[in-house]
Amino acid sequence: MIRSLALAGLVLALAACDASAPDTELATADLDDAAVTLASAVALDAGGLLEDAAASAALATSLSGTARTTSIDRPGCRADRTYDAATGAWTAVADCERGDPDGRFYVAFARTSTYRFLDGDGQSQETREGAVSAEHAVLSGSSTFRSPFGVHVLQSLTTDLTVSDLDAELVTIDGTVQRAATDTLRGPRGERTLAYELDATLDGIQGPRGLAKRWRRAVDGTITGTLRATLTRTPRDGETSLVEIDEAFTIEFPVTGSGDRVAEILLGGRRYRADIDTGEIGGMAL
């Protein structure tokens, strides 16, 4: 009888401990911050995943060995390119700047990348003409993106992308992306800083050749991945606290009533819709 009472007491004690244990699920506000960060990491004008996909799609235009320095690859950019006949690969170093440094949106970013044009047998060739696919890899990247909702600083970037359907109106891009960055968000809830790593897979991303601005009405496909971050919250009144984020995400691009597409982000069981160009998520109080 005494043993049974002791066991019952232990069960009650464990139940009490469980009831008082902290909730391991992220608060809605923390998920909102993660979604804002993810939207910036995707947006075209922020130097995000779609920007690098659009640069890959631009390889489907008539780039040739005679175009050593050009701004055709990306709006607001100049790229110096050199060709290595031994490897069949081009190396491109791009420096880009868009927007007003004192305005609502501003981005400056740099990329060092390689790309190869491939014929039907998978052999590399110097020029785009006659190629059926291309390989595009970002070796390093950095950027600073300022917007009304915060500052996004990219510390490292690598991509491994394959471009197919080079002769179609919409080219197709598949591959992987790894990014590491720090976002600082400011608003009525105080300051939040997210130091994060992002791993993403691009699956059947389609976009037009040439100008990236045309992607707003044409981009399609799916991006999946994982966002891992340390969120530091500094409220206006109160103590600083830390939250660990480790969330899978899915991003698709449905068409809105205006004919534009948006980035629909599924994160932590919640859905967010972000502007493809700027990364703004409508109606969110930061």
Side-chain angles (χ1 to χ4, degrees), residues 17-243:
C17 288
D18 289 342
S20 62
D23 189 353
T24 57
E25 294 186 0
L26 289 176
T28 298
D30 298 333
L31 275 176
D32 290 350
D33 289 341
V36 170
T37 286
L38 189 53
S40 293
V42 170
L44 281 162
D45 288 348
L49 273 66
L50 290 181
E51 161 64 34
D52 290 303
S56 294
L59 297 178
T61 59
S62 296
L63 298 179
S64 69
T66 60
R68 304 286 173 170
T69 302
T70 181
S71 59
I72 191 173
D73 297 339
R74 295 169 147 110
C77 302
R78 284 194 68 80
D80 293 325
R81 297 198 292 264
T82 57
Y83 181 70
D84 185 344
T87 62
W90 287 86
T91 298
V93 179
D95 288 297
C96 311
E97 186 177 28
R98 297 178 194 151
D100 181 353
D102 299 319
R104 282 172 51 82
F105 294 94
Y106 172 76
V107 65
F109 63 94
R111 299 285 189 269
T112 298
S113 61
T114 62
Y115 60 89
R116 297 197 308 151
F117 297 112
L118 305 178
D119 63 20
D121 296 325
Q123 300 300 309
S124 62
Q125 58 183 58
E126 182 174 357
T127 64
R128 154 70 184 90
E129 287 72 23
V132 299
S133 63
E135 297 173 339
H136 185 209
V138 175
L139 306 181
S140 64
S142 61
S143 66
T144 298
F145 173 57
R146 292 198 299 272
S147 72
F149 46 85
V151 179
H152 172 92
V153 179
L154 175 68
Q155 282 104 18
S156 67
L157 170 70
T158 57
T159 75
D160 186 3
L161 304 177
T162 299
V163 189
S164 55
D165 303 326
L166 293 187
D167 292 326
E169 181 63 24
L170 298 178
V171 300
T172 302
I173 299 146
D174 298 279
T176 58
V177 178
Q178 295 80 39
R179 297 171 65 95
T182 300
D183 277 15
T184 301
L185 309 177
R186 298 182 181 90
R189 292 192 284 115
E191 181 174 289
R192 285 93 64 219
T193 300
L194 294 92
Y196 75 87
E197 295 180 353
L198 182 152
D199 294 307
T201 298
L202 280 61
D203 184 9
I205 296 296
Q206 291 187 317
R209 299 178 291 176
L211 293 176
K213 285 296 183 184
R214 294 176 55 205
W215 279 55
R216 188 177 185 87
R217 287 180 170 261
V219 64
D220 202 358
T222 303
I223 301 174
T224 57
T226 304
L227 177 70
R228 293 177 296 274
T230 297
L231 168 60
T232 304
R233 301 178 296 192
T234 307
R236 293 178 182 272
D237 296 309
E239 296 183 356
T240 297
S241 59
L242 299 178
V243 176

